[in-house]
């Protein structure tokens, strides 16, 4: 059995490792375009701000380490240019030597990831304008931010990465401005919850330009200012474009593989594409919304690992299924944690649910115990049966565990009454006799 994997990082390496465990005798080869086979991309903002001081901490495996541990051949700086599904051939270029080559496979896993969206803004070619996707991107941004004379940073996009980088630049002593086309930060969140994050950002000295887009980057060879669509001119020594990513599905599309409405590769529960013996996983592949059963695409490392593991096992002869996602996301913004899962009110109503939103504010642990923080929770409940369909949590310490409880509750089909009845852990340092999750259930049950 010859298994080829196109792409490394979370999905590709998970797939290769699981394929090796499933079939100890298979020949497994990873073709990775970049120089790093496996790294923690979500840790890049913390590497740039020196919370993670050593670059090597981000590297999960070098190519040599991965080969030694899993018995998988790793070919870094190898770009696959074409997939011939009829002959089961890959055609690639060794980027280091310039030489072309071919590889015949029995099973193929596509894990080509995603790339930052780069609109054709005027002046985008100027120096000191960056995107953040790879460790190499992180190196360039870190060097520019620490360069003498760098005092002002502009971030375009107020999503998860944009706000993590706003904190990073601010902690590094840079005056930071965030520009967001939508009227709020964190567009997937409801506006009233996003306002809590906006207040925290402003309190920490971050300037917000909302409901406004970028028109141009101005300066000589080097960036000097960012001009918005409304005419604002914001001085900048560096800019970070963080307006999202798009699935790298072009290679698959050229090979005749079906692409979904999201722009990512369409797959089933076994990560199979429409072409026999070809699988896809990670940021290039769709998933399924567990509530609506519709195709969903939320590129996160956690999903990539699950999908990669599923694809690897099945390519090696297994029969595992990836159930789907709830579009859960979480980020740290200075002293706040912001997290969400499931459906928003608008999404729920668009899918035929009649819903009630319930918002509560509670302490993260006993009020008399030192270090008490406030946790704000909003739940979206179905009117018909009280089932929890979605949730947002914004607050201090302990917010992360509340969103995880709510994720579990949604996946288990729990109702407002079930939330109140959960036997959650209680001791003064960790919670109150009525946990915030229980309070949400109690208030929702009454309102419903």
């Amino acid at each position: 059995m010859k298994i080829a994997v196109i792409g490394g990082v979370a999905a590709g390496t998970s797939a290769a490792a699981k394929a090796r465990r499933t079939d100890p005798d298979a020949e497994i080869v990873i073709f990775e375009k970049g120089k790093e086979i496996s790294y923690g991309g979500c840790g890049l903002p913390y590497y740039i701000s020196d919370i993670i001081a050593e670059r090597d901490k981000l590297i999960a495996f070098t190519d040599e380490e991965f080969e030694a541990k899993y018995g998988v051949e790793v070919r870094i700086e190898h770009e696959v240019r074409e997939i011939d599904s009829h002959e089961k051939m890959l055609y690639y270029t060794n980027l280091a030597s310039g030489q072309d080559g071919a590889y015949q496979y029995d099973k193929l896993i596509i894990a080509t990831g995603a790339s930052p969206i780069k609109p054709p803004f005027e002046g985008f070619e100027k120096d000191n304008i960056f995107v953040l996707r790879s460790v190499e991107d992180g190196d360039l941004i870190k060097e520019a931010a620490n360069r003498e004379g760098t005092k002002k940073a502009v971030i375009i996009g107020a999503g998860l990465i944009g706000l993590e980088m706003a904190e990073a630049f601010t902690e590094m002593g840079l005056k930071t401005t965030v520009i967001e086309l939508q009227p709020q930060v964190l567009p997937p969140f409801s506006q009233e919850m996003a306002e809590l994050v906006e207040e925290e950002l402003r309190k920490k000295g971050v300037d917000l330009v909302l409901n406004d887009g970028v028109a141009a980057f101005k300066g000589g060879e080097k960036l000097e200012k960012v001009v918005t669509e409304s005419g604002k001119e914001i001085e900048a020594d560096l800019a970070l474009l963080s307006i999202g990513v798009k699935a790298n599905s072009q290679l698959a599309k050229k090979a005749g593989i079906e692409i979904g409405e999201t722009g990512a590769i369409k797959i089933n529960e076994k990560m199979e594409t429409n072409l026999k013996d070809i699988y896809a996983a990670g940021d290039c592949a769709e998933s399924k919304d567990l509530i609506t059963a519709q195709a969903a695409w939320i590129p996160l490392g956690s999903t990539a690992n699950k999908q990669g593991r599923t694809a690897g096992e099945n390519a090696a002869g297994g029969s595992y299924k990836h159930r789907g996602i709830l579009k859960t996301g979480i980020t740290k913004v200075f002293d706040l944690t912001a997290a969400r899962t499931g459906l928003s009110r608008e999404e729920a109503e668009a899918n035929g649910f009649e819903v009630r939103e319930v918002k509560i504010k509670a302490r993260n642990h006993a009020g008399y115990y030192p270090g008490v923080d406030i946790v704000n929770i909003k739940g979206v409940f179905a009117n018909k049966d009280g089932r929890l369909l979605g949730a947002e949590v914004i607050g201090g310490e302990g917010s992360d565990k509340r969103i995880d409880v709510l994720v579990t509750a949604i996946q288990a089909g729990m109702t407002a009454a079930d939330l109140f009845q959960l036997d959650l852990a209680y001791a003064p340092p960790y919670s109150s006799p009525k946990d915030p999750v229980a309070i949400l259930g109690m208030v929702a049950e009454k309102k419903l």
Side-chain angles (χ1 to χ4, degrees), residues 14 53 60 72 92 106 115 118 213 260 300 374 381 383-384 445:
S14 294
V72 170
Y92 62 83
D106 295 310
S115 297
K118 301 176 184 178
L300 289 172
I374 295 298
F381 295 86
N383 281 341
K384 182 178 179 181
E445 190 176 13

Side-chain angles (χ1 to χ4, degrees), residues 65-269:
E65 289 168 343
F66 196 84
E67 285 184 339
K69 181 169 183 178
Y70 293 105
V72 170
E73 183 182 349
V74 178
R75 302 185 188 182
I76 59 171
E77 296 186 89
H78 278 60
E79 181 176 11
V80 175
R81 296 178 287 101
E82 184 181 348
I83 301 167
D84 183 339
S85 62
H86 299 291
E87 299 297 327
K88 293 193 170 183
M89 293 291 293
L90 300 182
Y91 297 95
Y92 62 83
T93 299
N94 182 329
L95 300 177
S97 68
Q99 292 183 324
D100 294 335
Y103 180 82
Q104 189 163 33
Y105 65 85
D106 295 310
K107 299 292 179 71
L108 174 63
I109 301 168
I110 301 173
T112 44
S115 297
I117 295 171
K118 301 176 184 178
F121 293 127
E122 179 189 339
F124 186 68
E125 74 286 349
K126 296 185 186 302
D127 291 342
N128 284 4
I129 301 174
F130 304 96
V131 294
L132 181 58
R133 186 68 182 170
S134 67
V135 180
E136 289 79 10
D137 293 334
D139 291 334
L140 293 172
I141 295 168
K142 187 169 188 171
E143 191 276 329
N146 284 307
R147 194 180 299 150
E148 187 175 354
T150 301
K151 296 179 180 178
K152 297 177 180 178
V154 173
I155 298 168
I156 298 93
L160 302 183
I161 299 298
L163 296 192
E164 287 169 1
M165 284 306 303
E167 177 180 350
F169 285 149
T170 301
E171 296 291 346
M172 296 171 78
L174 303 185
K175 178 59 184 173
T176 303
T177 302
V178 177
I179 302 172
E180 170 55 53
L181 188 60
Q182 300 300 317
Q184 64 176 68
V185 303
L186 297 174
F189 286 68
S190 62
Q191 184 153 354
E192 67 173 322
M193 295 292 273
E195 285 171 356
L196 299 171
V197 178
E198 291 170 15
E199 182 182 343
E200 174 75 1
L201 288 161
R202 291 191 172 100
K203 187 172 74 175
K204 298 296 185 181
V206 176
D207 288 338
L208 300 177
V209 179
L210 304 177
N211 210 23
D212 203 354
V214 169
F217 297 100
K218 297 292 186 180
E221 289 186 6
K222 182 181 173 184
L223 175 69
E224 294 176 12
K225 60 180 66 173
V226 180
V227 181
T228 72
E229 292 175 348
S230 69
K232 289 188 176 71
E233 295 189 354
I234 304 164
E235 292 183 357
D237 299 308
L238 69 83
L240 174 67
L241 196 62
S242 183
I243 60 175
V245 296
K246 58 183 178 180
N248 292 333
S249 55
Q250 303 90 333
L251 179 67
K253 184 177 182 180
K254 193 169 74 169
I257 294 169
E258 188 175 356
I259 307 301
E261 291 183 5
T262 67
I265 299 169
K266 191 170 185 177
I267 44 86
N268 62 18
E269 290 178 317

Side-chain angles (χ1 to χ4, degrees), residues 351-362:
N351 281 279
F353 292 99
E354 292 184 6
V355 297
R356 173 68 65 94
E357 282 186 322
V358 178
K359 183 173 179 287
I360 64 108
K361 179 186 291 189

Side-chain angles (χ1 to χ4, degrees), residues 366-387:
Y368 54 80
Y369 189 87
V372 68
D373 274 330
I374 295 298
V375 177
N376 299 273
I377 306 180
K378 176 186 276 191
V380 178
F381 295 86
N383 281 341
K384 182 178 179 181
D385 55 9
R387 182 160 62 104

